[in-house]
Coordinates of all heavy atoms in Angstrom, one line a residue:
K37 N 0.3 -8.7 5.4 CA -0.7 -7.7 6.1 C 0.2 -6.4 6.4 O -0.3 -5.3 6.3 CB -1.3 -8.3 7.2 CG -2.3 -9.4 6.8 CD -3.7 -9.1 6.7 CE -4.4 -8.9 7.8 NZ -5.9 -8.8 7.6
L40 N 1.1 -4.1 3.5 CA 0.1 -3.5 2.9 C -0.6 -2.4 3.8 O -1.0 -1.4 3.4 CB -1.0 -4.4 2.4 CG -0.6 -5.0 0.9 CD1 -1.7 -6.0 0.5 CD2 -0.4 -3.9 -0.1
I41 N -0.8 -2.8 5.1 CA -1.6 -1.9 6.0 C -0.6 -0.9 6.5 O -0.9 0.3 6.6 CB -2.2 -2.8 7.1 CG1 -3.2 -3.8 6.6 CG2 -2.8 -1.9 8.2 CD1 -3.7 -4.8 7.6
A42 N 0.6 -1.2 7.0 CA 1.5 -0.4 7.7 C 2.6 0.1 6.8 O 3.5 0.9 7.3 CB 2.1 -1.1 8.9
L101 N -3.1 1.3 -9.6 CA -4.0 1.2 -8.5 C -5.3 0.5 -8.9 O -5.8 -0.4 -8.2 CB -4.3 2.5 -7.8 CG -5.3 2.5 -6.6 CD1 -4.7 1.9 -5.3 CD2 -5.9 3.8 -6.3
A104 N -4.7 -3.2 -9.2 CA -4.5 -3.8 -8.0 C -5.8 -3.9 -7.2 O -6.0 -5.0 -6.4 CB -3.5 -2.9 -7.1
L105 N -6.6 -3.0 -7.2 CA -7.9 -3.1 -6.5 C -8.9 -4.0 -7.1 O -10.0 -4.3 -6.5 CB -8.5 -1.7 -6.3 CG -7.7 -0.7 -5.5 CD1 -8.3 0.7 -5.4 CD2 -7.4 -1.1 -4.1
Q106 N -8.6 -4.6 -8.2 CA -9.4 -5.7 -8.7 C -9.2 -7.0 -7.9 O -10.0 -7.9 -8.0 CB -9.2 -6.0 -10.2 CG -9.3 -4.6 -11.0 CD -10.6 -3.9 -10.9 OE1 -11.6 -4.6 -11.0 NE2 -10.4 -2.6 -10.7
K107 N -8.0 -7.1 -7.3 CA -7.7 -8.2 -6.4 C -8.3 -8.0 -5.0 O -7.9 -7.1 -4.3 CB -6.2 -8.3 -6.3 CG -5.4 -8.1 -7.7 CD -5.7 -9.4 -8.5 CE -4.9 -9.2 -9.9 NZ -5.2 -10.4 -10.8
N108 N -9.2 -9.0 -4.6 CA -9.8 -8.9 -3.4 C -8.9 -8.8 -2.2 O -9.2 -8.0 -1.3 CB -10.8 -10.0 -3.2 CG -12.0 -9.9 -4.2 OD1 -12.4 -8.8 -4.6 ND2 -12.6 -11.1 -4.5
G109 N -7.9 -9.7 -2.3 CA -7.0 -9.7 -1.2 C -6.2 -8.4 -0.9 O -6.0 -7.9 0.3
I110 N -6.0 -7.6 -2.0 CA -5.3 -6.3 -1.9 C -6.3 -5.2 -1.4 O -6.0 -4.5 -0.5 CB -4.7 -5.9 -3.2 CG1 -3.5 -6.9 -3.6 CG2 -4.2 -4.5 -3.2 CD1 -2.9 -6.5 -4.9
R111 N -7.5 -5.3 -2.0 CA -8.5 -4.2 -1.7 C -8.8 -4.3 -0.2 O -9.0 -3.3 0.5 CB -9.7 -4.5 -2.6 CG -10.8 -3.2 -2.4 CD -11.8 -3.4 -3.4 NE -12.6 -4.6 -3.2 CZ -12.7 -5.7 -4.0 NH1 -11.8 -5.6 -5.1 NH2 -13.4 -6.6 -3.8
E112 N -9.0 -5.6 0.3 CA -9.4 -5.8 1.7 C -8.3 -5.3 2.6 O -8.7 -4.7 3.7 CB -9.7 -7.2 2.0 CG -11.1 -7.7 1.2 CD -11.2 -9.1 1.3 OE1 -10.3 -9.9 1.9 OE2 -12.1 -9.8 0.6
M113 N -7.1 -5.5 2.3 CA -6.0 -5.2 3.1 C -5.9 -3.7 3.3 O -5.7 -3.1 4.3 CB -4.6 -5.7 2.6 CG -4.5 -7.2 2.7 SD -4.8 -8.0 4.2 CE -6.3 -8.7 3.9
V114 N -6.0 -2.9 2.1 CA -5.7 -1.5 2.1 C -6.9 -0.7 2.8 O -6.8 0.4 3.1 CB -5.3 -0.9 0.8 CG1 -4.0 -1.4 0.2 CG2 -6.5 -1.2 -0.2
L115 N -7.9 -1.4 3.0 CA -9.1 -0.8 3.7 C -9.2 -1.1 5.2 O -10.1 -0.7 5.8 CB -10.4 -1.2 3.0 CG -10.7 -0.6 1.7 CD1 -12.0 -1.3 1.1 CD2 -10.8 0.8 1.7
Q116 N -8.2 -1.8 5.7 CA -8.2 -2.2 7.0 C -7.4 -1.3 7.8 O -6.3 -0.9 7.6 CB -7.5 -3.7 7.1 CG -7.8 -4.4 8.6 CD -7.4 -5.8 8.5 OE1 -7.3 -6.4 7.4 NE2 -7.2 -6.4 9.6
Q117 N -8.0 -0.7 9.0 CA -7.4 0.3 9.8 C -6.4 -0.3 10.8 O -5.4 0.5 11.0 CB -8.5 1.1 10.5 CG -9.5 1.8 9.6 CD -10.1 3.0 10.3 OE1 -9.6 3.7 11.0 NE2 -11.4 3.2 10.0
S118 N -6.5 -1.5 11.2 CA -5.5 -2.0 12.1 C -5.5 -3.6 12.0 O -6.5 -4.1 11.4 CB -5.8 -1.6 13.5 OG -7.0 -2.1 14.0
Y119 N -4.5 -4.1 12.6 CA -4.4 -5.6 12.5 C -3.5 -6.1 13.6 O -2.5 -5.4 14.0 CB -3.8 -6.0 11.2 CG -3.5 -7.5 11.0 CD1 -4.5 -8.4 11.0 CD2 -2.2 -7.9 10.9 CE1 -4.3 -9.8 10.9 CE2 -1.9 -9.3 10.7 CZ -2.9 -10.2 10.7 OH -2.7 -11.6 10.6
I133 N -0.7 -3.2 14.4 CA -0.3 -2.3 13.5 C -1.4 -1.5 13.0 O -2.6 -1.9 13.2 CB 0.6 -2.9 12.3 CG1 -0.5 -3.9 11.6 CG2 1.7 -3.7 12.7 CD1 0.0 -4.5 10.3
F134 N -1.1 -0.3 12.5 CA -2.1 0.6 12.1 C -1.9 1.0 10.6 O -0.7 1.2 10.2 CB -2.2 1.9 13.0 CG -2.6 1.4 14.4 CD1 -1.6 1.3 15.3 CD2 -3.8 1.4 14.8 CE1 -1.9 0.9 16.6 CE2 -4.2 1.1 16.1 CZ -3.2 0.8 17.0
T135 N -3.0 1.4 9.9 CA -2.8 1.8 8.5 C -2.0 3.2 8.5 O -2.2 4.0 9.4 CB -4.2 2.0 7.9 OG1 -4.0 2.5 6.5 CG2 -5.0 3.1 8.6
T136 N -1.4 3.5 7.4 CA -0.9 4.8 7.1 C -1.8 5.7 6.2 O -1.4 6.8 6.0 CB 0.5 4.6 6.3 OG1 0.2 3.8 5.0 CG2 1.6 3.8 7.0
D137 N -3.0 5.1 5.9 CA -3.9 5.8 5.1 C -5.0 6.5 6.0 O -6.0 5.8 6.4 CB -4.6 5.0 4.0 CG -5.5 5.8 3.1 OD1 -5.7 7.0 3.4 OD2 -6.1 5.2 2.2
F138 N -4.8 7.8 6.5 CA -5.7 8.4 7.4 C -7.0 8.7 6.8 O -7.9 9.0 7.5 CB -5.0 9.7 7.9 CG -3.7 9.5 8.7 CD1 -2.8 10.5 8.8 CD2 -3.4 8.2 9.1 CE1 -1.6 10.3 9.5 CE2 -2.2 8.0 9.8 CZ -1.4 9.0 10.1
L139 N -7.2 8.6 5.4 CA -8.5 8.8 4.8 C -9.4 7.7 5.2 O -10.7 8.1 5.0 CB -8.3 8.9 3.2 CG -7.5 9.9 2.7 CD1 -7.6 9.8 1.1 CD2 -8.1 11.4 3.1
L140 N -9.0 6.7 5.8 CA -9.9 5.6 6.2 C -10.9 6.1 7.3 O -12.0 5.7 7.5 CB -9.2 4.3 6.6 CG -8.5 3.6 5.5 CD1 -7.8 2.4 6.1 CD2 -9.5 3.1 4.4
S141 N -10.4 7.2 8.1 CA -11.3 7.6 9.1 C -11.8 9.0 8.9 O -12.2 9.7 9.6 CB -10.4 7.7 10.5 OG -9.3 8.5 10.2
S142 N -11.8 9.4 7.6 CA -12.3 10.7 7.1 C -13.6 10.7 6.5 O -14.1 9.6 6.2 CB -11.2 11.3 6.1 OG -11.4 10.7 4.8
L144 N -14.2 11.0 3.5 CA -14.2 10.2 2.2 C -14.4 8.8 2.3 O -14.5 8.1 1.3 CB -12.8 10.5 1.5 CG -12.5 12.0 1.1 CD1 -11.2 12.0 0.4 CD2 -13.6 12.5 0.1
N145 N -14.6 8.3 3.5 CA -14.9 6.8 3.7 C -16.1 6.8 4.6 O -16.3 5.9 5.4 CB -13.7 6.2 4.4 CG -13.9 4.7 4.3 OD1 -14.4 4.2 3.4 ND2 -13.4 4.0 5.3
N146 N -17.0 7.8 4.3 CA -18.3 7.9 5.2 C -19.4 8.0 4.4 O -19.7 9.0 3.7 CB -18.1 9.2 6.1 CG -19.2 9.2 7.2 OD1 -20.3 8.8 7.0 ND2 -18.8 9.7 8.4
H147 N -20.2 6.9 4.5 CA -21.5 7.0 3.5 C -22.5 8.1 3.9 O -23.3 8.5 3.1 CB -22.2 5.6 3.7 CG -21.4 4.5 3.0 ND1 -21.4 4.3 1.7 CD2 -20.7 3.5 3.6 CE1 -20.6 3.3 1.4 NE2 -20.3 2.7 2.5
Y151 N -19.8 9.5 0.3 CA -18.4 8.9 -0.2 C -18.3 7.5 0.0 O -18.7 7.0 1.1 CB -17.3 9.7 0.3 CG -17.2 11.1 -0.4 CD1 -17.6 12.3 0.3 CD2 -16.5 11.3 -1.5 CE1 -17.4 13.5 -0.3 CE2 -16.3 12.4 -2.2 CZ -16.8 13.6 -1.6 OH -16.6 14.8 -2.1
E152 N -17.5 6.8 -0.7 CA -17.1 5.4 -0.4 C -15.6 5.4 -0.9 O -15.3 5.6 -2.0 CB -17.8 4.3 -1.2 CG -17.3 3.0 -1.0 CD -17.8 2.0 -2.0 OE1 -18.6 2.4 -2.9 OE2 -17.5 0.7 -1.9
L153 N -14.7 5.0 0.1 CA -13.3 4.8 -0.2 C -13.1 3.4 -0.8 O -13.3 2.5 0.0 CB -12.4 5.1 0.9 CG -10.9 5.3 0.7 CD1 -10.6 6.4 -0.2 CD2 -10.2 5.4 2.0
I154 N -12.7 3.2 -2.0 CA -12.5 2.0 -2.6 C -11.2 1.4 -2.2 O -11.0 0.2 -2.2 CB -12.7 2.0 -4.1 CG1 -14.2 2.5 -4.4 CG2 -12.5 0.6 -4.7 CD1 -14.4 2.9 -5.9
G155 N -10.1 2.2 -2.1 CA -8.8 1.7 -1.7 C -7.8 2.7 -2.1 O -8.0 3.6 -2.9
G156 N -6.5 2.6 -1.5 CA -5.5 3.6 -1.7 C -4.2 3.1 -1.1 O -4.2 2.3 -0.4
K157 N -3.2 3.9 -1.4 CA -1.9 3.6 -0.8 C -1.1 4.9 -0.7 O -1.0 5.8 -1.5 CB -1.2 2.7 -1.7 CG 0.1 2.1 -1.0 CD -0.4 1.0 -0.1 CE 0.8 0.6 0.9 NZ 1.0 1.7 1.9
T158 N -0.3 5.0 0.5 CA 0.6 6.1 0.7 C 2.0 5.7 0.2 O 2.3 4.6 0.0 CB 0.6 6.4 2.2 OG1 1.1 5.2 2.9 CG2 -0.8 6.7 2.7
V169 N -2.2 7.8 -3.5 CA -3.2 7.5 -4.7 C -4.4 6.8 -4.1 O -4.3 5.9 -3.3 CB -2.5 6.6 -5.8 CG1 -1.9 5.3 -5.1 CG2 -3.4 6.3 -6.8
V170 N -5.6 7.2 -4.4 CA -6.9 6.6 -3.9 C -7.9 6.5 -5.0 O -7.9 7.3 -5.9 CB -7.4 7.5 -2.8 CG1 -6.5 7.6 -1.5 CG2 -7.8 8.9 -3.3
E171 N -8.7 5.5 -4.9 CA -9.9 5.3 -5.7 C -11.1 5.5 -4.7 O -11.2 5.0 -3.6 CB -10.0 4.0 -6.4 CG -11.2 4.0 -7.4 CD -11.2 2.7 -8.2 OE1 -10.1 2.0 -8.2 OE2 -12.2 2.6 -9.0
L172 N -12.0 6.4 -5.0 CA -13.2 6.7 -4.2 C -14.3 6.9 -5.2 O -14.2 7.0 -6.4 CB -12.9 7.8 -3.3 CG -12.5 9.2 -3.9 CD1 -13.7 10.0 -4.3 CD2 -11.5 9.8 -3.0
A173 N -15.6 6.9 -4.6 CA -16.7 7.2 -5.4 C -17.7 7.9 -4.5 O -17.8 7.9 -3.4 CB -17.3 5.7 -5.7

Side-chain angles (χ1 to χ4, degrees):
K37 299 267 278 193
L40 279 178
I41 295 171
L101 178 73
L105 293 180
Q106 306 308 305
K107 312 293 182 181
N108 289 336
I110 294 176
R111 187 173 64 252
E112 290 168 4
M113 294 307 105
V114 297
L115 289 175
Q116 194 166 343
Q117 297 204 37
S118 63
Y119 175 65
I133 60 171
F134 298 90
T135 182
T136 56
D137 187 355
F138 299 160
L139 292 183
L140 291 178
S141 56
S142 76
L144 292 182
N145 195 33
N146 190 328
H147 288 286
Y151 284 99
E152 176 193 4
L153 191 62
I154 299 168
K157 196 72 196 72
T158 60
V169 54
V170 297
E171 184 171 354
L172 52 92

